[in-house]
């Protein structure tokens, strides 16, 4: 900021203060009403009117931020005036964030959908899919018309194609009851629902070792984090994207004496609090994890007792086929499931049972009953020996001693863990990292103890619905398809043709999925896209029928926290605005038209009471009164046998997947972690043409694409920008604040460049979640792709390469540069 800019800002502040002073002190000001009342009591009434009286309602947030914070809404004159954190039953979990407080604006935002609408040029007989998009116009219709259109098209598609041709999509925009209810309707109808191809890479790799994990890993509850002595935050900016409970509990751990290590290619807010920052080059994380494993093995920092009792470290592996030696191979009464170890005292084979300690041999090669074998830990040691810290330091752009220091802290300072985020998940082979860090924590014995951490957000509890949403044995059931297969089903009918989509709480189609243009092209094969949402999102703009959903604070609901041990209750703060309806009501109406009405409880209050009655841990009356009930579960996970075939941590996976493809070369089998790379590889075939890795970090200003048009937020975060290292920018003739074109062979976007010395020179970043209308041109997901790994099918958003150049000089940037600090969208940012 220049001196002139600072002076102007200070002048504005002083001017605002002067206005406030006039308002408070003038003869006709509010404070004048504090004079004694006359006989009519007029002054006293003015005071009462000014102060007002609030009605307070229990409510809760439930976007995909993993906070699920219990809140209180203050209503005056029929309008929500203030939001503040509610004190949950366990006061340690009292939390709220800046975005949650902006619901006072979000409920009344100008982007809210008010009435059911139909795209003007859509009709059941002539859908005209090419008419969808930015130029589409809509006309208001009645709820009856809208619901009849949707139900009629569902039945038509089922008859002309098959029930699976109707795609029921629920996104992560609301974690109340509506998602479960839509799943029940899909199961009764026989439709298709998605299984995830987003954020499952790291979790699935972790799961192969531990038997637990999907969206990242399961880890101890937040209340236990302060017991950690070392925390390695890996691929997560907790202070930006987990800014409610997770940030607070990390600070609790630091205040309790924990060492904080951050592994991230960007100097984030979390890195600024670290004792040690490892600015890893993009995509090199599995290499670093393997170097840490090598250090633990080489320096004998492993927990030998834990390895013998709870892992497959001593399990014997056949040299001929890589399978585990089983008791059936050596004992007459053996079986085909139980692994075999070698007793160190007798040199005799013994069954390796879960949770059983023995003086088993951890390293070495042995011949057992004529079969050449080696231990599982030896197999790991063989691979890890290729990743000496000095070698990896050069590969990953780090210092070898920093790698050693980080893992020494983890291995020698008592309980701790690795708070892995979703950053590494978004590389094509990110699942290898999940396997690697779970293996590393197995070596250090960091499972099942107070202070163990395995993910960047804590675990928690929720209610048990007791099968309330089960569709019944006679229902055809839902056909699940990964999102990576949903698009081929839309495009080519593989494995079957999708012809219609009913979407709720989702902005996937036109904003959040990789290779966005491919999705929009595929959608032209659909006869009907119906979207229920609170706001006029980009996906709504590509719909044929639009249904206005009520805001969370105007509907009754219950929410399983999931990341803290509570169930939250919402009571409506006021009636839904305009013609908006609860998704519960919408699905009930569709069910009636499709002949499934008797399968649903139409009264939501009654349904909530029935659901809670299925869980004897929760008292319904206390939940409603308090707005939150604590579930008293054990905060420490991974006690007892693991949910794996052996019941142990499988640091050697005999059923490992194999990765193949042009970027792998010869097929690679992953019994132990083997670092693999795609577009981040230095030898990637198009690296010269597109030299920069393009990331799309999560931002503190949005939850994915939610909260996009909040006035308070847009005053601070007004437009998309490209974080770029000054060295990288200057090589391309780009000054700080210039508009730049970011492009590759799939698409482009035009945004403002922002110098950032804390980002590695070989990468750039634009925070994800911006809507189409925010960009001067293009969209960040016009640059991403859908190249996926064999093992997980997870979308690899960060495995994207781009080049950057100055934007054309004649480009129209007036939406942000025409003396309008909040852009041309300022008029859409608030108001009724």
């Amino acid at each position: 900021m220049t001196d002139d800019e600072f002076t102007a800002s200070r002048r504005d502040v002083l001017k605002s203060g002067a206005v406030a002073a006039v308002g408070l002190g003038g003869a006709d000001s509010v404070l004048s009403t504090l004079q004694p009342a006359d006989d009519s009591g007029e002054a006293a009434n003015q005071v009462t009117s000014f102060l007002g009286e609030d009605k307070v309602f229990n409510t809760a947030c439930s976007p995909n931020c993993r906070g699920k914070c219990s809140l209180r809404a203050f209503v005056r004159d029929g309008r929500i005036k203030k939001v503040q954190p509610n004190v949950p039953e366990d006061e340690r979990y009292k939390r709220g964030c800046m975005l949650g407080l902006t619901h006072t604006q979000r409920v009344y935002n100008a982007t809210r959908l008010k009435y059911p609408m139909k795209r003007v040029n859509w009709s059941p007989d002539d859908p005209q899919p090419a008419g969808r998009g930015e130029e589409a116009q809509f006309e208001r219709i009645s709820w009856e018309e809208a619901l009849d259109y949707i139900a009629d098209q569902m039945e038509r598609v089922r008859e002309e194609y098959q029930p699976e041709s109707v795609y029921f999509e629920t996104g992560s925009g609301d974690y109340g009851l509506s998602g479960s209810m839509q799943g029940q309707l899909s199961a009764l109808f026989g439709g298709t629902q998605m299984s995830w191809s987003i954020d499952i890479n790291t979790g699935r790799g972790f799961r192969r070792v531990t038997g637990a994990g999907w969206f990242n890993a399961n880890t101890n509850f937040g209340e236990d984090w302060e017991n950690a002595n070392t925390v390695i935050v890996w691929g997560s900016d907790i202070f930006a994207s987990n800014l409610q409970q997770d940030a607070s509990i990390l600070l609790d751990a630091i205040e309790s004496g924990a060492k904080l290590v951050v592994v991230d290619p960007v100097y984030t807010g979390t890195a600024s609090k670290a004792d040690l920052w490892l600015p890893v080059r993009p995509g090199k994380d599995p290499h670093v994890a393997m170097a840490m494993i090598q250090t633990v093995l080489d320096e004998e920092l492993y927990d030998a007792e834990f390895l013998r009792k709870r892992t497959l470290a001593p399990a014997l592996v056949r040299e001929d086929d890589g399978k585990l030696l089983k008791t059936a191979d050596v004992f007459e009464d053996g079986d085909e499931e139980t692994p075999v170890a070698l007793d160190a005292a007798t040199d005799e084979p013994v069954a390796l049972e879960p949770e059983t300690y023995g003086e088993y041999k951890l390293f070495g090669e042995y011949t057992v009953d004529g079969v050449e074998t080696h231990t599982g830990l030896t197999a790991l040691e063989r691979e890890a020996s290729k990743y000496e810290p000095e070698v990896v330091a050069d590969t990953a752009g780090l210092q070898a001693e920093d790698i050693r220091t980080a893992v020494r802290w983890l291995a020698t300072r008592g309980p701790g863990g690795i708070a892995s985020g979703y950053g590494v998940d978004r590389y094509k082979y990110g699942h290898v990292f999940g396997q690697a860090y779970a293996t590393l924590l197995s070596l250090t014995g960091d499972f099942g103890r107070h202070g163990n951490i395995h993910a960047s957000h804590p675990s928690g509890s929720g209610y048990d619905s007791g099968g309330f949403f089960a569709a019944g044995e006679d229902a055809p059931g839902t056909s699940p398809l990964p999102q990576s297969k949903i698009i081929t089903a839309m495009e080519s009918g593989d494995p079957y043709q999708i012809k219609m989509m009913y979407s709720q709480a989702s902005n996937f189609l036109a904003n959040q999925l990789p290779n966005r243009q491919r999705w929009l092209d595929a959608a032209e094969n659909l006869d009907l896209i119906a979207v229920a949402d609170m706001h006029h999102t980009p996906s709504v703009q590509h719909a044929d029928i639009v249904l206005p959903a009520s805001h969370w604070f105007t509907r009754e609901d219950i929410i399983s926290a999931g990341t803290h041990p509570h169930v939250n209750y919402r009571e409506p703060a006021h009636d839904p605005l305009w013609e908006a309806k609860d998704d519960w009501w919408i699905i009930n109406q569709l069910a009636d038209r499709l002949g499934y009405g008797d399968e649903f409880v139409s009264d939501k209050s009654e349904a909530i009471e029935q659901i809670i009655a299925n869980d004897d841990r929760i008292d319904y009356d206390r939940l409603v009164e308090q707005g939150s009930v604590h579930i008293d579960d054990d905060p420490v996970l991974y006690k007892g046998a693991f949910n794996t075939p052996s019941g142990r941590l499988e640091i050697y996976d005999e059923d490992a997947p194999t990765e193949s493809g042009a970027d792998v070369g010869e097929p690679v089998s992953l019994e132990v972690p083997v670092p693999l790379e795609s577009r981040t590889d230095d030898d990637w075939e198009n690296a010269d043409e597109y030299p920069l890795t393009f990331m799309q970090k999560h931002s503190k200003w949005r939850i994915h694409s939610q909260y996009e048009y909040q006035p308070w937020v847009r005053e601070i975060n007004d437009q998309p920008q490209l974080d770029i290292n000054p060295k990288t920018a200057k090589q391309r003739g780009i000054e700080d604040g210039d508009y730049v074109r970011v492009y590759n062979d799939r698409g482009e976007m035009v945004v403002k460049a922002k110098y950032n010395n804390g980002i590695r020179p070989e990468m750039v970043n634009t925070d994800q979640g911006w809507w189409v209308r925010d960009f001067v041109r293009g969209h960040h997901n016009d640059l991403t792709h859908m190249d996926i790994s064999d093992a997980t099918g997870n979308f690899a958003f960060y495995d994207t390469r781009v080049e950057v150049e100055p934007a054309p000089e004649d480009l129209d940037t007036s939406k942000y540069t025409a003396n309008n600090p909040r852009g041309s969208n300022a008029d859409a940012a608030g108001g009724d």
Side-chain angles (χ1 to χ4, degrees), residues 201-207 209 424 430-439:
N201 237 357
T202 301
R204 290 189 65 179
F206 187 91
R207 186 182 190 87
V209 177
V424 189
H431 63 88
V432 176
F433 172 72
Q435 180 188 14
Y437 93 83
T439 300

Side-chain angles (χ1 to χ4, degrees), residues 2 223 272 632:
T2 67
E223 64 203 66
S272 72
D632 189 19

Side-chain angles (χ1 to χ4, degrees), residues 453-604:
I453 297 173
H454 311 98
S456 64
H457 50 77
S459 296
S461 304
Y463 61 83
D464 179 0
S465 67
F468 182 86
F469 294 102
E473 295 181 1
D474 296 333
T478 284
S479 295
L481 277 184
Q483 287 166 301
S484 55
K485 288 291 186 183
I486 291 289
I487 191 165
T488 60
M490 292 166 59
E491 286 175 329
S492 61
D494 177 22
Y496 48 79
Q497 188 68 53
I498 288 179
K499 292 296 292 181
M500 173 186 168
M501 178 170 70
Y502 175 73
S503 171
Q504 66 182 32
S506 174
N507 191 19
F508 277 136
L509 179 65
N511 210 78
Q512 293 301 101
L513 292 172
N515 204 346
R516 188 180 72 99
Q517 290 299 327
R518 182 181 168 190
W519 284 92
L520 297 179
D521 291 343
E524 293 198 14
N525 294 318
L526 275 58
D527 295 337
L528 175 65
I529 297 175
V531 177
D533 207 314
M534 290 190 287
H535 300 274
H536 196 126
T537 67
S539 295
V540 165
Q541 186 62 29
H542 284 263
D544 305 309
I545 301 295
V546 179
L547 305 179
S550 58
H551 186 276
W552 304 328
F553 286 12
T554 64
R555 62 172 70 171
E556 186 180 20
D557 225 326
I558 51 173
I559 300 97
S560 283
T563 54
H564 56 89
H566 289 86
V567 173
N568 295 329
Y569 171 77
R570 284 197 198 115
E571 56 183 327
H574 57 62
D575 289 337
L577 298 174
W578 309 292
E579 291 187 13
K581 300 287 187 182
D582 189 337
D583 290 289
W584 185 277
W585 180 88
I586 299 171
I587 294 173
N588 263 292
Q589 292 294 312
L590 289 173
D592 284 341
R593 285 164 169 78
L594 295 168
Y596 307 122
D598 292 342
E599 302 289 336
F600 293 86
V601 179
S602 59
D603 187 306
K604 194 174 187 182

Side-chain angles (χ1 to χ4, degrees), residues 165-176:
S165 295
V166 177
Y167 171 38
F168 294 82
E169 180 178 84
T170 296
S172 60
D174 180 28
Y175 279 81

